[in-house]
Amino acid sequence: MTTLFEALTWYDDAIDSFAKRLGASLIYGDHQRAFTAGNGGSSSIASHLVADIMKTSKRFDLPSVICLSDNIPLLTAIANDISYDDTFAEAANLHHIRSRDMAIVISSSGNSKNVVNFAKLAVDRGATLFTMTGFAGGILREIGSKHGVSLHIDVNDYGIVEDIHNHVIHRLVKELQK
């Protein structure tokens, strides 16, 4: 059994590197917007990420950050009228995601079709991709490793994976406050 402390210690360098690369991309990249998304606990982390980038970082030179999982009416309309598998990809499409944008996709399993489809759309449109996964990482880990920057926490415990993904946000804010 891996504890949170053990996992944080084991993945400290990877967490630090990911937070620094994400921070540098937000600060120095020529990005207009960053879109975040996730399901369940990862949705909360995606939303928390937006709040901390927009307010806690105390920076006004960053791209606009939008959490696709925050717009419940839009998500339910897409799920009902099109497909739940396409909720985030279609929402990003409606926002006209393009090459000067970023996609930050969070999933413990990495296999939910709606996050995978969002990541694929982001790559197809030339957006900069960052992914955070846990467990075996799934398809999202493969996409992130091949087409972007991927943080994978190889732990089979939702609590630990989600705690570390939250920790990444706090490390990112420290980077943005430098």
Side-chain angles (χ1 to χ4, degrees), residues 1 11 19 29 58 66 89 152 176:
M1 176 76 168
Y11 290 104
K58 300 188 183 330
I66 301 160
H152 174 64
L176 295 175

Side-chain angles (χ1 to χ4, degrees), residues 18 21 105 119 123 129-133 136-153:
F18 184 86
R21 291 180 73 181
V105 190
V123 169
L129 178 65
F130 285 83
T131 63
M132 291 193 283
T133 58
I139 299 165
L140 185 61
R141 177 186 179 198
E142 294 172 21
I143 295 168
S145 295
K146 184 175 181 182
H147 299 287
V149 180
S150 175
L151 173 66
H152 174 64
I153 306 302

Side-chain angles (χ1 to χ4, degrees), residues 58-81:
K58 300 188 183 330
R59 295 188 68 120
F60 301 98
D61 58 342
L62 301 175
S64 294
V65 188
I66 301 160
C67 181
L68 297 175
S69 32
D70 279 352
N71 191 334
I72 302 303
L74 179 60
L75 289 181
T76 58
I78 293 168
N80 185 63
D81 299 343

Side-chain angles (χ1 to χ4, degrees), residues 88-101:
F88 300 134
E90 184 60 20
N93 186 48
L94 292 170
H95 279 287
H96 310 287
I97 190 170
R98 56 188 173 268
S99 61
R100 291 190 59 205
D101 293 328

Side-chain angles (χ1 to χ4, degrees), residues 51-60 62 173 176-177:
D52 279 5
I53 290 172
M54 299 301 291
K55 188 222 173 267
T56 309
S57 71
K58 300 188 183 330
R59 295 188 68 120
F60 301 98
L62 301 175
V173 169
L176 295 175
Q177 290 175 332

Side-chain angles (χ1 to χ4, degrees), residues 85-119:
D85 293 348
D86 295 317
T87 50
F88 300 134
E90 184 60 20
N93 186 48
L94 292 170
H95 279 287
H96 310 287
I97 190 170
R98 56 188 173 268
S99 61
R100 291 190 59 205
D101 293 328
M102 297 173 65
I104 305 165
V105 190
I106 306 163
S107 174
S108 291
S109 73
N111 286 317
S112 298
K113 289 182 181 179
N114 60 349
V115 294
V116 168
N117 289 344
F118 170 45

